[in-house]
Amino acid sequence: MPIPSDEGWIDRFVDRLPETRLFKLVASWILVPLWARLTPVKPLPGGPHPSFQHGDNVQCMMNLIMPLKDKSPVGRALAALAIAQNKEAIFAGLNNVGTVHFARFVIVGDNICMFSVYDGDFTNYIRDFIATIGSVFNAVVELVEGGEEVIPCEDNVEAFIQWVHERDLYQVPDTATDFLRDQEALNGDRAVSPVNDDLTLLPRKLVLQLRANPNVSLGSGYRAYPGFSVAQVRKHLGVGW
Amino acid sequence: MSAMFDLAELQGNILRGYTKKPHVRYLILEVADRSAARRWLASSVSGRGDGVPQITTGDWGPNKPDTCFNIGLTYEGLRALGTPSASLEMFPNEFVEGMTARALKLGDVGPSAPENWPAPFNEPKRIHLIATIYAEKVEQLNEVQERALYDREALTLLGTREGYNFPGDFVHFGYRDNITQPRFEEIHDPDRYPDRQPRAPLGTVLLGHPTNLEGLTWRVPLPAELGHNGTFNAFRVLKQDVAGFEEYLDRAASDLLKHPQVDELLQPGDEEKIGKGLSRRAALREIVAANLCGRWRDGTPLALSADAPDPKADLTDFDYVGVGDSRCPHGAHIRRCNPRGGQIVQRIANNSRRLVRRGVPYGPPYDPAKRDRDEPEPERGLLGNFIGASLGAQFEAMSCDWLNLGLQDPRITGSNDPISGANDPVTSWFDLPLKSGGTIRLRGLPRFVLTRGGAYTFLPSLSAIRFLGSL
Ligand code: HEM
């Protein structure tokens, strides 16, 4: 039996949106924008959910999506070159910073993406990288929209870290209840709607959320084994740390 | 002390320890009226000795002051004074958010969480200014406090905290403290002592100067008179469970007595070396205590004298380079906080997270003979100040990655600092190194230190105080 609630017609209407094709069409072009105006949802901050557990603080994921200034094959080629020309420096950086498992550079659409897996605190990771191979960050960020405001990164450490943080994707929690938690933490507990804790209504919150954060990471990465730091892995494999 | 710049521009507590003034009182204050508070600040640097206490600078001239007086402002305090928003925006995030928002990074979780802090720290947004008085006698503290609060329109007293430096610089838990401080390039320090660490660049502790991370500078809030030569302080009220600490040492010593490798830690017959008349168990207690800290309780560094305290050993002239794994545990408090030149994971971070520390114990000394098990122990601990030009790159980086995660060395990763870390006896561990290269793992360490308050403050230069006073 449906749970009686005092929600308005628009809420009830929107709840049923995912069910029919016509609704879907009308929903995405008209209703969701309208509804989003009525119920503003702020973008959620990027990066792993803050935690004090040791296991949550190693092998953390960074997912940076940075729109290129030059959205053409030439622009993409410039980005590809910036990475290729700095390969040695990137390896040197990984060695000296010591807390990065993997760093991947990917071009998707007209975005240069940097995905990495790192240990410990995000700001320390970026700061240590700036100190080690700031020039590589400068070469890449120079090609990115808005990048000129924060380079050279060595002279804009705090602003640069913040800029990167703002481009790091929000990591949608793995569980539905945590999803509510993030939204409430950001907006205060009545921000999304007065009927807040009914998990059957989750999809509509997700819709609004994914409107505010169009690119997200689904979960914070799934590991096949418990978290270990780079140095623990290297030590165990006998390759020096 | 002399420097290539004007020490009279700096607040005195940044570079000096005021060691001859053992009584310290913190006044935790709220701006009552903006204009009156600005007038108060202007008077504190006016040079007139009759009204508001004068800020003690780094240049004492020929006459030592009888009492010292210094201030720090929170972000809310700067706002309350009406600091222009263009300037406010230039302060670093961690300072803007304030200490309570950074709880997870600092290990302020569970019973240490800000929700459990007592007044006045339960209302962090009301804390605007923290003034500190240093004196030889308590009456002097009262007298300075009275002058500081004379104009009730300016500042409201939310609360106080008071500490007393025990003779010999000992702190609760019985260790000698206040030994290590960074020494700075460009500042001549007359108390010469050998120190194997490189001198710290001035930017370690003052905004607007080169930092230890080569080529990196921290943002200086403008106008320059506001930000330049300022610095940040993490003020922490850290409650210490001394009875719990001593009980843990008892327990660890009893367990060790039964351990097959205990003779590697302490050769039978060597008990006297650890301390006169000590039983084997008592000597093992001291060995555990020394390993947890990285210094024997008298201050002797394990890196220089791993087998026993040595009054002849230098207290500061040591490094972990070439110190075999068996001397000083990688997880020991002072090694975690400052790995010196030793190998660490974050290779570029050696020496980059150094802090100026100004701490004073509060509460009565612990006396096991007077302990009444039916009564709760009186609260005691440390009023700590951790000063550095970047809270994020120094205090927070040390707290989260080094003290609480142990990221700097794979052998300690996943363990917390044994003394100040947020330990849980179910999962905690600490490795005592053995000469043979192995270790004995201690388990069940509880949390010895709880956070009971604190705030991030900006320690403005004298020009900055004048600037704020004239807004
Ligand atoms: C109540 C809690 C604490 C106690 C009882 C304590 C005790 C000590 C002692 C006995 C020393 C050795 C003395 C010296 O080298 O000057 C020391 C050093 C030090 N502590 Fe703590 N500490 C506490 C909390 C902290 C915290 C929270 C931090 C930082 C976040 C910290 C950072 C340091 C640093 C940087 C050193 C100097 C290490 C070196 O340079 O060799 N301490 N502490």
Side-chain angles (χ1 to χ4, degrees):
Chain A
M1 214 184 77
I3 305 160
S5 79
D6 55 357
E7 58 195 283
W9 69 269
I10 189 162
D11 291 311
R12 284 197 304 272
F13 187 47
V14 175
D15 285 346
R16 290 209 306 271
L17 289 185
E19 291 160 24
T20 71
R21 228 190 207 176
L22 179 69
F23 268 9
K24 277 186 206 162
L25 217 67
V26 176
S28 51
W29 290 103
I30 303 168
L31 280 171
V32 172
L34 177 69
W35 177 40
R37 282 239 319 255
L38 294 173
T39 317
V41 169
K42 291 186 213 153
L44 282 160
H49 183 73
S51 160
F52 187 67
Q53 298 303 318
H54 291 139
D56 294 341
N57 283 300
V58 289
Q59 295 177 335
C60 307
M61 312 284 165
M62 179 181 80
N63 307 286
L64 280 189
I65 309 274
M66 302 181 284
L68 289 168
K69 280 182 193 157
D70 181 346
K71 298 180 203 317
S72 75
V74 174
R76 296 196 286 275
L78 281 174
L81 266 184
I83 302 302
Q85 282 167 347
N86 282 296
K87 196 180 105 198
E88 299 305 321
I90 293 170
F91 276 117
L94 292 178
N95 251 333
N96 284 315
V97 170
T99 52
V100 181
H101 295 253
F102 314 103
R104 302 172 60 215
F105 297 89
V106 180
I107 296 178
V108 180
D110 284 307
N111 300 295
I112 174 142
C113 313
M114 185 177 163
F115 302 132
S116 70
V117 180
Y118 64 94
D119 299 328
D121 177 65
F122 175 78
T123 53
N124 295 342
Y125 154 46
I126 302 295
R127 194 185 306 105
D128 286 356
F129 248 97
I130 296 174
T132 323
I133 50 160
S135 58
V136 179
F137 274 149
N138 292 337
V140 175
V141 168
E142 194 185 1
L143 307 173
V144 172
E145 282 178 6
E148 62 284 346
E149 286 164 29
V150 290
I151 53 174
C153 56
E154 298 88 339
D155 298 337
N156 296 289
V157 182
E158 295 92 341
F160 187 87
I161 295 174
Q162 185 60 21
W163 188 89
V164 175
H165 180 58
E166 281 162 11
R167 278 150 189 79
D168 191 5
L169 297 190
Y170 170 58
Q171 304 188 358
V172 179
D174 299 328
T175 59
T177 39
D178 286 352
F179 185 76
L180 295 176
R181 164 207 70 193
D182 284 3
Q183 194 57 52
E184 287 164 12
L186 188 72
N187 291 323
D189 54 6
R190 290 178 58 85
V192 180
S193 79
V195 276
N196 227 355
D197 298 328
D198 183 350
L199 288 180
T200 60
L201 299 183
L202 195 60
R204 41 177 284 200
K205 283 180 185 165
L206 250 179
V207 172
L208 280 192
Q209 195 55 62
L210 288 173
R211 189 174 181 275
N213 294 74
N215 300 321
V216 293
S217 163
L218 299 180
S220 46
Y222 300 99
R223 300 188 198 122
Y225 49 86
F228 291 105
S229 73
V230 175
Q232 284 178 311
V233 174
R234 293 181 66 135
K235 180 170 180 292
H236 213 74
L237 296 175
V239 293
W241 54 275
Chain B
M1 212 180 269
S2 67
M4 290 161 78
F5 63 93
D6 189 3
L7 282 169
E9 254 301 286
L10 301 187
Q11 293 206 59
N13 55 342
I14 299 171
L15 298 178
R16 288 176 186 267
Y18 302 156
T19 43
K20 305 260 161 55
K21 299 189 170 46
H23 290 278
V24 184
R25 185 178 297 164
Y26 293 87
L27 310 179
I28 294 130
L29 302 159
E30 180 182 29
V31 169
D33 171 78
R34 177 176 286 184
S35 316
R38 290 173 181 166
R39 277 199 304 277
W40 185 95
L41 283 174
S43 332
S44 75
V45 287
S46 63
R48 289 192 309 272
D50 47 348
V52 175
Q54 296 300 294
I55 301 286
T56 309
T57 75
D59 182 2
W60 288 2
N63 302 317
K64 284 195 179 147
D66 289 337
T67 56
C68 296
F69 187 71
N70 290 106
I71 59 163
L73 291 156
T74 62
Y75 178 76
E76 299 302 330
L78 287 170
R79 269 175 39 140
L81 287 166
T83 308
S85 54
S87 304
L88 287 173
E89 280 165 17
M90 299 186 76
F91 280 87
N93 257 348
E94 58 275 11
F95 174 70
V96 173
E97 290 183 1
M99 185 177 277
T100 52
R102 318 288 285 184
L104 281 176
K105 284 195 188 220
L106 304 181
D108 290 342
V109 293
S112 286
E115 299 86 83
N116 300 320
W117 293 357
F121 301 104
N122 57 342
E123 290 183 281
K125 296 248 183 280
R126 288 186 64 193
I127 300 175
H128 293 160
L129 194 150
I130 300 184
T132 318
I133 313 168
Y134 309 77
E136 271 174 70
K137 302 189 201 97
V138 174
E139 305 82 75
Q140 292 171 301
L141 294 179
N142 297 338
E143 188 264 327
V144 177
Q145 172 170 340
E146 214 160 281
R147 280 198 286 136
L149 300 177
Y150 182 74
D151 179 1
R152 291 189 192 281
E153 265 179 40
L155 299 164
T156 310
L157 183 68
L158 302 177
T160 60
R161 291 292 181 274
E162 189 156 330
Y164 173 67
N165 263 316
F166 300 144
D169 269 335
F170 284 89
V171 290
H172 297 299
F173 297 161
Y175 297 103
R176 181 159 169 204
D177 197 357
N178 290 328
I179 302 168
T180 327
Q181 297 290 359
R183 298 205 298 160
F184 297 100
E185 280 167 9
E186 301 183 55
I187 297 191
H188 170 70
D189 190 342
D191 317 328
R192 256 176 221 238
Y193 54 87
D195 180 356
R196 219 168 297 170
Q197 298 183 86
R199 279 186 178 251
L202 260 187
T204 308
V205 76
L206 294 181
L207 285 172
H209 299 268
T211 72
N212 227 317
L213 289 168
E214 208 183 316
L216 265 58
T217 50
W218 312 133
R219 184 169 53 207
V220 182
L222 294 174
E225 62 254 56
L226 173 63
H228 193 71
N229 284 338
T231 189
F232 294 96
N233 179 24
F235 171 60
R236 306 278 280 164
V237 181
L238 300 171
K239 176 182 167 183
Q240 293 174 256
D241 176 8
V242 185
F245 184 75
E246 295 298 330
E247 273 163 20
Y248 182 76
L249 296 181
D250 286 338
R251 203 150 23 100
S254 303
D255 290 349
L256 284 172
L257 278 173
K258 291 179 250 153
H259 197 282
Q261 282 168 295
V262 67
D263 291 357
E264 270 195 66
L265 270 184
L266 179 64
Q267 290 279 328
D270 276 359
E271 293 79 8
E272 278 284 314
K273 288 191 192 158
I274 309 286
K276 272 229 159 331
L278 288 188
S279 66
R280 188 156 179 75
R281 186 160 176 275
L284 283 167
R285 285 176 100 257
E286 288 311 303
I287 290 177
V288 173
N291 276 270
L292 299 182
C293 181
R295 291 184 185 274
W296 297 91
R297 293 213 231 201
D298 71 350
T300 308
L302 288 186
L304 294 181
S305 177
D307 294 335
D310 176 1
K312 291 198 293 300
D314 200 287
L315 294 181
T316 51
D317 193 17
F318 68 97
D319 200 341
Y320 301 112
V321 178
V323 169
D325 286 340
S326 67
R327 294 183 77 98
C328 179
H330 298 285
H333 177 68
I334 67 163
R335 191 163 188 175
R336 289 178 92 112
C337 294
N338 183 3
R340 300 181 182 230
Q343 183 191 1
I344 53 169
V345 167
Q346 305 98 329
R347 282 187 214 163
I348 55 147
N350 287 91
N351 297 315
S352 74
R353 298 180 179 177
R354 301 200 62 193
L355 294 166
V356 170
R357 291 176 305 126
R358 306 274 176 233
V360 57
Y362 72 93
Y366 173 70
D367 181 351
K370 288 201 194 127
R371 188 171 173 210
D372 178 353
R373 281 177 190 270
D374 299 328
E375 288 287 313
E377 278 288 302
E379 182 169 330
R380 53 172 70 87
L382 186 79
L383 300 170
N385 294 283
F386 302 92
I387 303 172
S390 167
L391 287 165
Q394 293 165 268
F395 177 69
E396 290 192 346
M398 185 184 291
S399 302
C400 60
D401 281 357
W402 286 359
L403 284 175
N404 281 325
L405 183 55
L407 204 54
Q408 64 272 48
D409 188 308
R411 290 161 290 192
I412 61 169
T413 305
S415 70
N416 295 314
D417 185 83
I419 290 182
S420 70
N423 276 307
D424 174 348
V426 179
T427 50
S428 61
W429 50 271
F430 179 84
D431 286 339
L432 292 172
L434 298 174
K435 291 212 175 60
S436 62
T439 53
I440 297 180
R441 180 157 288 193
L442 300 178
R443 293 190 188 272
L445 292 99
R447 212 187 276 219
F448 300 125
V449 173
L450 286 186
T451 313
R452 300 290 287 155
Y456 282 160
T457 58
F458 174 62
L459 308 185
S461 69
L462 275 276
S463 303
I465 299 174
R466 272 182 220 108
F467 169 82
L468 294 166
S470 64
L471 277 175

